[in-house]
Amino acid sequence: MDRLDGNQRALDMIDWLTETASVRDFLQHLVDDAVDDSGADGCGVTLQRRGRPLTVVSTGGVADKLDEKQYGQDDGPCLEALRTGLLVHVPDTLSESRWGSYPSFAADLGIRSSLSLPVPMGTNTAGALNFYAAQPDAFTESDRVALGAFAAQAGGAIALAQRLADTEDFTRDLQNALASRRVIDQAIGSVMAQHKCTEEEAFDLLRRLSQETNLKLRDVCTRLLTDLAGRAPAPRPPLRPRP
């Protein structure tokens, strides 16, 4: 197995994070590179949130089938690594007696050995990195050490990718909230001008109209401004970080 220096690997992961458009793209790059370096025939990333495991990305064609078999019987090397936080090594599926019918299922798919490694990512998400090989005893002790270090580095990178995605979601929600507030403020101003009333009175009028029509307050305000101007209110430019 070809192994990069640990520091270089960490730098590569940072580069992937900055160059990919989504968490999923980053994870796909991660498993593709892991398979290239390990010599495995397949690899998948399992993440568990709210108690439900899911293979978010995979490569090699068999990882999805093997993972889904484990999810279906709620047992297997992937789930054991995820739940215990320990490396789970299967030298040969033909001589494996753990996990019920899973080993024979894997052997029937042409997979003779596997390596499942916990991916530490924090309290809200658990994960595992799963390698599958067509040859028995495909993962030597040195491979297991190297891939264990890789999984640890991957955990930090995945956690960072998730935080970045959460930040993007927060920014998008904030932009939507600001856009709604802008439309509502414009509508309040228009009502105040038309009815010569206070800001509070204008807001109460719009709120009552929202309740009577069973429409969201923003939609009521948008309709009002559209009727007055003959066109929908212009959207606010998106938030951008200061240079």
Side-chain angles (χ1 to χ4, degrees):
M1 170 185 169
D2 295 328
R3 294 186 291 275
L4 293 176
D5 173 78
N7 292 334
Q8 182 60 51
R9 173 74 72 186
L11 292 173
D12 286 344
M13 289 186 184
I14 293 173
D15 288 341
W16 300 342
L17 277 172
T18 59
E19 293 171 0
T20 52
S22 68
V23 175
R24 186 179 183 85
D25 289 344
F26 164 73
L27 292 175
Q28 190 64 59
H29 197 153
L30 185 77
V31 299
D32 289 344
D33 188 76
V35 167
D36 288 343
D37 277 357
S38 68
D41 294 287
C43 178
V45 174
T46 294
L47 297 182
Q48 177 174 278
R49 304 193 78 171
R50 300 183 179 91
R52 181 174 180 268
L54 176 69
T55 303
V56 289
V57 292
S58 64
T59 189
V62 295
D64 283 338
K65 296 177 182 178
L66 293 168
D67 291 348
E68 287 300 328
K69 171 66 174 177
Q70 297 178 68
Y71 304 157
Q73 65 180 36
D74 195 32
D75 198 15
C78 162
L79 295 179
E80 185 169 322
L82 184 149
R83 291 165 177 169
T84 65
L86 301 174
L87 178 152
V88 179
H89 179 217
V90 179
D92 192 345
T93 55
L94 289 181
S95 58
E96 181 59 65
S97 59
R98 295 172 290 180
W99 313 301
S101 63
Y102 170 76
S104 60
F105 177 83
D108 289 343
L109 288 180
I111 296 301
R112 293 287 301 276
S113 58
S114 68
L115 187 65
S116 297
L117 304 123
V119 178
M121 288 177 293
T123 57
N124 294 326
T125 303
L129 190 60
N130 310 295
F131 293 90
Y132 303 104
Q135 299 297 320
D137 298 306
F139 303 101
T140 66
E141 182 177 355
S142 61
D143 291 336
R144 298 195 292 274
V145 170
L147 290 173
F150 175 80
Q153 292 174 336
I158 293 172
L160 176 57
Q162 288 181 324
R163 284 197 293 272
L164 291 173
D166 290 343
T167 299
E168 290 177 0
D169 290 340
F170 172 78
T171 301
R172 187 161 48 248
D173 291 344
L174 179 59
Q175 289 173 344
N176 291 335
L178 290 174
S180 295
R181 183 71 259 174
R182 181 169 180 262
V183 169
I184 293 169
D185 286 344
Q186 287 178 336
I188 289 173
S190 296
V191 171
M192 290 172 63
Q194 283 187 321
H195 295 272
K196 307 299 182 184
C197 61
T198 66
E199 180 178 347
E200 183 176 351
E201 291 171 336
F203 179 78
D204 285 341
L205 188 154
L206 291 169
R207 181 174 52 81
R208 288 197 303 271
L209 186 58
S210 171
Q211 294 171 344
E212 292 169 1
T213 58
N214 199 29
L215 293 173
K216 292 181 179 179
L217 181 61
R218 177 183 175 176
D219 294 337
V220 168
C221 295
T222 299
R223 286 190 177 187
L224 173 65
L225 295 174
T226 300
D227 290 342
L228 291 174
R231 66 178 187 278
R236 185 179 185 135
L239 293 174
R240 299 182 184 278
R242 293 183 178 179

